[in-house]
Amino acid sequence: MTTQVSPAPKTRKNTQPDLVQFEPEFLAGLHEIFEKRVAFNQTIGLKIGEISPALVHGHIAMRPELIGHEAYERIHGGVISAGLDSMGGLAVMAAIAARHMDDTPMQRLQRFSRLGTIDLRVDYLRPGIGKEFLLTAKVIRLGSRVANTQMEFLSADGELLSTGTAAYIVS
């Protein structure tokens, strides 16, 4: 019995997404846009962790302003939804940037001005109780006009609390 290995997905300009290393200038620009210029990310305390073309990580520290159920101190479902949506957008940003490594970091950062959510689905699997939450997102498909993502919202110890899928306009 032989095992067949699928070839790596093709990207424009023959760039292998797994091999792309983003420059410090580009990463600093993403942090600036994502954590400071997007006011709602600041409001919920969403911070970027690791960024690669294949997967992005983030985290939210629990605060009293984020409580959705007072008796159990659960995080509000809207915070979960907004966090997943933002992380999906960040994953798309990283995937687009990986396709255009011939551009300068500033040129790649400017590509994100037209990015917008066109569909979002969130499944709440377990109550969001804890002091910190981890978020991940990856791009499933990056087309010329639409990108599709899958996201996860986890407890600090890695327990899956919610999942999301989304579509973003990229043109």
Side-chain angles (χ1 to χ4, degrees), residues 84-130:
L84 290 173
D85 182 22
S86 289
M87 291 301 294
L90 181 63
V92 173
M93 289 180 186
I96 291 170
R99 278 193 175 177
H100 298 280
M101 290 302 290
D102 292 342
D103 292 350
T104 67
M106 188 55 67
Q107 288 171 322
R108 279 181 271 138
L109 290 168
Q110 290 172 350
R111 290 183 176 276
F112 309 135
S113 62
R114 289 180 259 159
L115 182 71
T117 308
I118 56 176
D119 187 49
L120 175 66
R121 176 190 168 89
V122 176
D123 291 312
Y124 301 95
L125 308 174
R126 293 181 182 80
I129 300 172

Side-chain angles (χ1 to χ4, degrees), residues 6-55:
S6 300
K10 293 181 181 178
T11 61
R12 291 185 195 160
K13 300 185 184 180
N14 296 325
T15 303
Q16 292 281 341
D18 299 349
L19 304 176
V20 170
Q21 293 284 329
F22 293 130
E23 309 90 338
E25 178 185 355
F26 176 77
L27 293 173
L30 270 184
H31 279 270
E32 173 70 24
I33 292 167
F34 192 80
E35 295 177 355
K36 295 183 178 153
R37 292 189 195 166
V38 179
F40 197 72
N41 288 350
Q42 231 178 4
T43 299
I44 65 173
L46 182 55
K47 301 289 184 190
I48 295 175
E50 295 178 35
I51 301 173
S52 77
L55 186 67

